[in-house]
Amino acid sequence: MSANIRSQQALASVKQFNCPNCGNALSLLHPRAKFIACQYCGTELDASSETYHILRALVPPKKHKPYSFLKLGMKGVLNGKKHQIIARSRWKMDYKEYWSDEDGSGYSDEIWYYDEWLLMAEDRTYFYLVEDREGYSISEEIIPKTPMLLPKNLRMKFYNRQAKSVVREYGKANLVYFEGESNYQIKLGDEISFASFGR
């Protein structure tokens, strides 16, 4: 897999310039990207300015090395489309996980780290690859072919018939590292909340 990824041609960049902090060459692939975090020194830059103004110093890259061979700029073919990795964010999850055994049930406190790799296809669509120390996963959006709402008089009955579900995990994730391009300004500590349900 790694050899195949490295052998593909790069997507055409919309801007190329040198980081004003460390001097290394940087490229922007998406025309809507307004910010870029240098993968060499960790500096966040304003990619929409002509001088690529330095906004802030983020965490040095050596503190958050990738879990595997993946790295910013790699190319490959997924689902028949050429893709290139344009960003990586690392998240720290602080959450509760449901447990159950013969003695009872409850929630344990857990901490987990994962990377979210952002890949862009040649048609400028995105693909997210999630990686942690155990491997890779993807999250897919499922859209019904004929989406519709039930009539109002049936909606409550529909939900009443749903089986009760246990909240398996819930908590928050905070951004601890970022490299690559973004269309919004990344801030360390950015937070998302989540919950997952199951039987």
Side-chain angles (χ1 to χ4, degrees), residues 10-68:
L11 303 181
S13 59
V14 294
K15 282 186 185 178
Q16 293 180 329
F17 58 95
N18 292 332
C19 174
N21 185 54
C22 69
N24 278 293
L26 301 175
S27 293
L28 286 175
L29 296 178
H30 202 292
R32 289 187 300 161
K34 296 177 183 172
F35 304 94
I36 187 167
C38 177
Q39 69 263 36
Y40 304 102
C41 67
T43 301
E44 186 179 14
L45 309 170
D46 180 355
S48 62
S49 72
E50 291 185 13
T51 58
Y52 307 107
H53 179 69
I54 295 174
L55 299 171
R56 65 174 53 86
L58 299 177
V59 179
K62 62 183 178 183
K63 286 193 172 183
H64 295 288
K65 293 179 181 177
Y67 294 121
S68 68

Side-chain angles (χ1 to χ4, degrees), residues 27-124:
S27 293
L28 286 175
L29 296 178
H30 202 292
R32 289 187 300 161
K34 296 177 183 172
F35 304 94
I36 187 167
C38 177
Q39 69 263 36
Y40 304 102
C41 67
T43 301
E44 186 179 14
L45 309 170
D46 180 355
S48 62
S49 72
E50 291 185 13
T51 58
Y52 307 107
H53 179 69
I54 295 174
L55 299 171
R56 65 174 53 86
L58 299 177
V59 179
K62 62 183 178 183
K63 286 193 172 183
H64 295 288
K65 293 179 181 177
Y67 294 121
S68 68
F69 67 91
L70 293 178
K71 65 181 180 180
L72 208 63
M74 276 189 160
K75 295 76 103 177
V77 176
L78 294 167
N79 301 324
K81 290 183 188 177
K82 290 180 184 176
H83 286 76
Q84 187 164 350
I85 298 174
I86 65 169
R88 173 174 69 107
S89 54
R90 178 159 294 173
W91 297 85
K92 176 186 177 186
M93 291 173 55
D94 185 357
Y95 65 103
K96 303 277 189 186
E97 185 173 37
Y98 180 77
W99 60 269
S100 177
D101 59 27
E102 61 274 0
D103 296 325
S105 62
Y107 289 91
S108 58
D109 293 316
E110 304 291 337
I111 291 179
W112 194 253
Y113 290 87
Y114 68 93
D115 283 348
E116 188 174 68
W117 295 93
L118 177 59
L119 288 72
M120 191 178 72
E122 53 195 335
D123 61 0
R124 306 296 187 202

